Amino acid sequence: MSIVDPVLSFLSNQQIFNIIIALIILGVGYFIALLIRRTVFKVGARFYAKNIAGFVSKIVYYLILLIALSTALGYLGVELTGLVIAGGFAGIIVGVALQPLLASFFAGLYVMAERVIQQGEIVSIGNIMGEVVEVSLMFTRIRTFDGVMVTMPNSQLLSTSIQNYSKAVARRLEFTVSIAYSEDAEKAYKVIKETVDNHPYVLAEPAPDIYVSNLGDSGVVITVRVWVPRTLAYPVVKDLLWKIKKSLDEAGISIPFPQLDVWIKTPVTLRHEEGAVKPYKPGKNLSNS
């Protein structure tokens, strides 16, 4: 007598048939889930990041397994209504409790799918500016230029503006140069333009733009706008400012500094320590009195 004989005698033919069907459903469901998971990953990796393609493929994989399991249990006569209702209530409770995490999670899916920011890019988010170190499903990590690692939830990315400096091929730099009113503005313009045109990393198209933008309190303000390759923006602005300063010095053009002249129209009286009174004449230096 075999060990399975009591089991077979206990089960009816219909029950045995249902068990076989359930096992077949589980096997076929597992095979289909595995096949679809690989297909979704391969197709998704062509359009999105690999981590998000892998995550979506796992979700599809487990959903198919869940459908296969529920179908197999139905053939075995297991009532799933109670489990569905209990799972629904549990899902509502968990969803309310984990609402901030879920918001960051779905925001991470959106950011990764749309490739709003990616690792290695230079971005400015709110008042944080630096290099993107990592973009995960929950958090984004940015290393600022002074070496501080900032971790922010992905939900914050959807509620603020994002400035991405790595998407464009070139960047426009803008700075001002001030010259004294007594200097020749046309000569200063030529010196600055020659310095800008001779710089190896300043793009010829779009062409540099140099013009007088303001007549300030201490001098004439000249604005300089140039386009440079994105990756060279920081070293170019340092080098170009230094070369413009040297060129202006060599041309004998002075850069003014804030100063204030005080003129006294009416005579004033200064009192010495011994009590003597000495009249002061307008135009005389007070420091020599």
Side-chain angles (χ1 to χ4, degrees):
M1 183 177 178
S2 175
I3 190 173
V4 298
D5 290 339
V7 178
L8 294 176
S9 62
F10 178 77
L11 298 175
S12 63
N13 293 334
Q14 184 62 37
Q15 290 173 330
I16 294 175
F17 177 78
N18 290 341
I19 292 175
I20 295 175
I21 294 298
L23 293 176
I24 293 175
I25 291 174
L26 288 176
V28 174
Y30 173 77
F31 176 77
I32 294 176
L34 195 62
L35 181 61
I36 293 180
R37 176 182 176 179
R38 294 176 179 176
T39 304
V40 170
F41 177 78
K42 290 181 180 179
V43 175
R46 297 178 182 177
F47 303 97
Y48 305 103
K50 288 186 177 181
N51 50 358
I52 191 172
F55 177 78
V56 173
S57 64
K58 286 181 181 180
I59 292 179
V60 174
Y61 172 76
Y62 288 115
L63 283 177
I64 296 176
L65 286 183
L66 181 61
I67 294 173
L69 179 61
S70 61
T71 305
L73 291 177
Y75 267 94
L76 295 178
V78 178
E79 183 61 42
L80 300 177
T81 305
L83 293 176
V84 172
I85 295 175
F89 280 112
I92 294 175
I93 296 174
V94 172
V96 173
L98 301 179
Q99 184 176 0
L101 294 178
L102 292 176
S104 293
F105 173 77
F106 287 108
L109 286 178
Y110 173 79
V111 170
M112 296 170 68
E114 295 294 330
R115 298 185 179 183
V116 179
I117 57 175
Q118 300 183 62
Q119 183 177 353
E121 293 181 339
I122 304 299
V123 299
S124 177
I125 304 175
N127 58 349
I128 304 298
M129 184 176 182
E131 179 184 359
V132 179
V133 177
E134 180 186 1
V135 180
S136 64
L137 288 173
M138 299 297 297
F139 301 98
T140 295
R141 292 176 173 84
I142 298 176
R143 182 188 293 112
T144 62
F145 294 131
D146 54 356
V148 178
M149 186 69 70
V150 179
T151 301
M152 60 179 62
N154 288 331
S155 58
Q156 185 175 343
L157 302 182
L158 301 183
S159 60
T160 186
S161 61
I162 300 175
Q163 298 180 8
N164 195 324
Y165 297 95
S166 300
K167 294 295 186 182
V169 178
R171 281 189 58 188
R172 192 189 74 178
L173 303 179
E174 179 177 329
F175 49 87
T176 58
V177 179
S178 183
I179 63 173
Y181 278 103
S182 59
E183 301 294 343
D184 187 348
E186 186 174 354
K187 179 181 178 181
Y189 170 84
K190 292 180 179 179
V191 171
I192 296 174
K193 189 176 188 309
E194 182 179 356
T195 305
V196 169
D197 291 340
N198 291 335
H199 198 281
Y201 296 126
V202 173
L203 301 181
E205 190 65 34
D209 190 13
I210 306 171
Y211 61 96
V212 174
S213 59
N214 189 20
L215 301 177
D217 296 333
S218 302
V220 180
V221 180
I222 300 176
T223 296
V224 181
R225 292 176 177 174
V226 296
W227 288 85
V228 300
R230 171 181 55 82
T231 56
L232 299 174
Y234 183 62
V236 167
V237 70
K238 294 193 305 180
D239 185 52
L240 191 56
L241 280 173
W242 175 247
K243 289 183 176 180
I244 289 177
K245 171 65 169 63
K246 291 177 60 179
S247 299
L248 291 175
D249 290 342
E250 293 173 357
I253 300 175
S254 62
I255 298 177
F257 55 89
Q259 53 184 333
L260 179 65
D261 294 333
V262 179
W263 293 88
I264 301 175
K265 293 184 177 181
T266 58
V268 297
T269 301
L270 300 180
R271 186 177 299 277
H272 294 276
E273 293 182 357
E274 58 272 17
V277 176
K278 183 179 179 181
Y280 171 74
K281 296 181 180 180
K284 190 175 182 180
N285 193 338
L286 294 177
S287 61
N288 296 327
S289 300

